[in-house]
Amino acid sequence: GHALATAPYTINAAFMARVHHVVDAATAAGLNAIVDMHNFDELYANPTANTTRFAEMWRQIAVELAAAPANVWFELINEPHGSLNNANLVAILTPALAAIRTTNPTRPVIVGGQDWSGVDSLATLALPADPYVVPTLHSYDPFDFTHQGATWVTPTPAIGRVFGSAADYTQLSANLQKVRDYITRTGRVPFVGEYGAIDDPGVPLSERIKYYGAMTSAYASIGIQTCAWGYTNTFHLWRAGTG
């Protein structure tokens, strides 16, 4: 949304400067940072036709942030879906990764799998041959709890679902086993790049606390780190004036 659609695919300088400022502010505050590409709908719809643009945008980002500290990671594309899937993912991502490596040879680069990087994507996720690539998964199970009242989902899950049933914990245990299986098979340790529960309009704070605590503890119990979603969107972790 901030880059030319044709070669040389230049990213808007003011927007790039804003990204750089946010990264610097985050790291100065002692935070780790992930710089990722979101909402590249053309890539999801037609991966082959957009591979070059994708790589050239990442080349520019990598140059801009080449001097960033080591706790700034890159995530090539958020939640592959549509026509971007595990069968073609490596071929599409490899040129972008190569572009990054010309200026950032050892910076960690995150890769998630097909179908919005759900835990089931790990079963067939192949990664580029690069020791600094880190696999990720996103988890919003149980979906009818985490997305209740979400108007962008059709049909919108009903408001009122609570978390913590035996079925919820059975599903969570099954997801943990899928992650263990992936680690055993590949030797790679993924992390949960997103998990969260909506609070606008739907889930009461007490239920959200229960859910976030259960997810964090469950994945930590098998050595998996987690990143909670979000900040000030409809999955608030923080609100001005209320903490």
Side-chain angles (χ1 to χ4, degrees), residues 203-227:
V203 183
L205 179 59
S206 59
E207 290 297 313
R208 297 180 75 233
I209 290 171
K210 189 194 313 180
Y211 164 80
Y212 280 99
M215 289 287 289
T216 304
S217 298
Y219 279 96
S221 75
I222 62 168
I224 301 299
Q225 298 186 56
T226 53
C227 297

Side-chain angles (χ1 to χ4, degrees), residues 52-235:
T52 299
R53 185 178 185 228
F54 179 57
E56 291 307 312
M57 284 191 286
W58 268 113
R59 187 183 307 279
Q60 296 169 70
I61 298 165
V63 169
E64 179 73 21
L65 297 174
N71 63 329
V72 176
W73 292 17
F74 294 160
E75 183 168 14
L76 289 173
I77 186 68
N78 177 72
E79 296 184 344
H81 59 274
S83 296
L84 183 61
N85 54 52
N86 285 1
N88 60 23
L89 195 62
V90 170
I92 301 303
L93 299 187
T94 294
L97 182 61
I100 290 169
R101 290 295 177 235
T102 62
T103 53
N104 294 259
T106 61
R107 188 175 302 281
V109 174
I110 301 162
V111 171
Q114 65 188 15
D115 297 330
W116 291 271
S117 302
V119 66
D120 289 333
S121 69
L122 294 177
T124 57
L125 177 63
L127 298 177
D130 183 309
Y132 300 101
V133 166
V134 181
T136 193
L137 67 139
H138 292 182
S139 182
Y140 290 98
D141 294 329
F143 193 82
D144 61 343
F145 169 75
T146 63
H147 281 69
Q148 57 189 281
T151 55
W152 65 90
V153 177
T154 304
T156 297
I159 293 175
R161 168 77 148 84
V162 298
F163 176 80
S165 68
D168 290 343
Y169 283 105
T170 296
Q171 181 182 43
L172 180 54
S173 294
N175 287 348
L176 295 181
Q177 188 58 51
K178 292 172 183 177
V179 176
R180 289 192 194 95
D181 292 344
Y182 175 81
I183 296 171
T184 299
R185 187 177 72 255
T186 67
R188 302 258 194 168
V189 179
F191 75 102
V192 179
E194 289 183 21
Y195 72 102
I198 192 171
D199 76 322
D200 184 9
V203 183
L205 179 59
S206 59
E207 290 297 313
R208 297 180 75 233
I209 290 171
K210 189 194 313 180
Y211 164 80
Y212 280 99
M215 289 287 289
T216 304
S217 298
Y219 279 96
S221 75
I222 62 168
I224 301 299
Q225 298 186 56
T226 53
C227 297
W229 185 274
Y231 183 52
T232 60
N233 62 5
T234 52
F235 289 64

Side-chain angles (χ1 to χ4, degrees), residues 1-4 9-19 60 64:
H2 299 275
L4 294 179
Y9 310 106
T10 306
I11 297 172
N12 176 271
F15 182 76
M16 184 77 92
R18 170 65 177 163
V19 172
Q60 296 169 70
E64 179 73 21

